[in-house]
Amino acid sequence: MSLSQQESAGLSALSAVLSPLEGGGPRTDAVVARLSAAVGLGVMTDGQRLPNETDLADQLGVSTMTLREALAVLREQGVVRTTRGRGGGSFICASAEAFEHTSLVRLRRVSSAELRDLGDVQFAVSGAVAVFAARRGLQADIARLRSLADRLRASAEPAGARRVDSRFHIEMAVTAQSTRLTRSQVGLQTELSGLLWLPQLRLDPVAEAGDQRRLVDAIEREDDIRARELAESNAESRIRRLVALRLELDDR
């Protein structure tokens, strides 16, 4: 499959985040959660203009009324600002400090058993993604992954590292050319990235970027066995550290 075919199939990080909502529950809450996650993952960045209401509602599979309600909530949270008149619209705006505070509160509410279960899914998805990325990856995909690993190594603060790291994992799934795996990885990054890059966990961008470079090298060699080993090892190591931090919070 060529890159243009891949793009036309909808296999991009942004299209995965803005795909139609699934499952039940309040739709307004689901839209708020999806757009907040997009900001946290760095798929949508500060200052980015959102599509117009009709287009965005269509992409998410909700009514324009539901979308407007969700945007009102996001404005109250300071995640979105809306301006009127020529050149107006809704734009992303969120502070790193607010996101870190929210993530730490969320970590305290999640049990260590739930974290381990989430880690098991991350282990399985990351391994499968690495295998198919090694078998199907195009040179353009590999160059993009290498560039993201370089950006992670150069990241000077946790918010930037979190965004680049999440983007790397989502782009890995895009490289695997699987829409379902890409959506699964987006969901996992939505739940995990804010926790994994809490300053208290002390992930080292340079060390993590080194792991990513070795993984990209294996993908470029089409060595799917080594790629799986590296992806699974990284996922296992991270969740072990996260569970340890969760238990440490209980002791404070």
Side-chain angles (χ1 to χ4, degrees), residues 53-83:
E53 290 183 353
T54 301
D55 289 345
L56 186 54
D58 286 344
Q59 285 177 275
L60 294 169
V62 299
S63 68
T64 53
M65 180 62 70
T66 296
L67 178 66
R68 286 170 185 161
E69 291 173 354
L71 290 176
V73 173
L74 290 167
R75 278 193 292 272
E76 289 179 2
Q77 295 177 351
V79 177
V80 165
R81 63 180 173 83
T82 301
T83 61

Side-chain angles (χ1 to χ4, degrees), residues 196-218:
L196 288 170
W197 286 95
L198 279 167
Q200 295 85 344
L201 204 65
R202 298 185 180 87
L203 281 188
D204 179 4
V206 175
E208 295 297 323
D211 286 350
Q212 292 182 356
R213 292 285 296 198
R214 284 186 282 278
L215 177 54
V216 175
D217 289 345

Side-chain angles (χ1 to χ4, degrees), residues 9-22:
L11 294 176
S12 72
L14 183 59
S15 65
V17 169
L18 297 183
S19 59
L21 299 173
E22 298 174 347

Side-chain angles (χ1 to χ4, degrees), residues 68 173 175 179 191 197 225 231:
R68 286 170 185 161
T175 300
T179 300
E191 292 191 75
W197 286 95
I225 295 176

Side-chain angles (χ1 to χ4, degrees), residues 125-137 172-173 175-178 181 219 224 227-228:
V125 170
S126 294
V129 162
V131 167
F132 290 118
R135 294 177 183 175
R136 302 169 179 168
M172 275 278 295
T175 300
Q177 298 182 19
S178 167
L181 283 175
I219 290 170
D224 56 4
R228 177 193 285 273

Side-chain angles (χ1 to χ4, degrees), residues 89-111:
S90 292
F91 300 85
I92 296 297
C93 57
S95 72
E97 293 77 11
F99 188 81
E100 287 177 11
H101 174 74
T102 302
S103 296
L104 189 57
V105 170
R106 190 159 65 85
L107 180 59
R108 290 181 182 276
R109 292 175 177 168
V110 179
S111 70

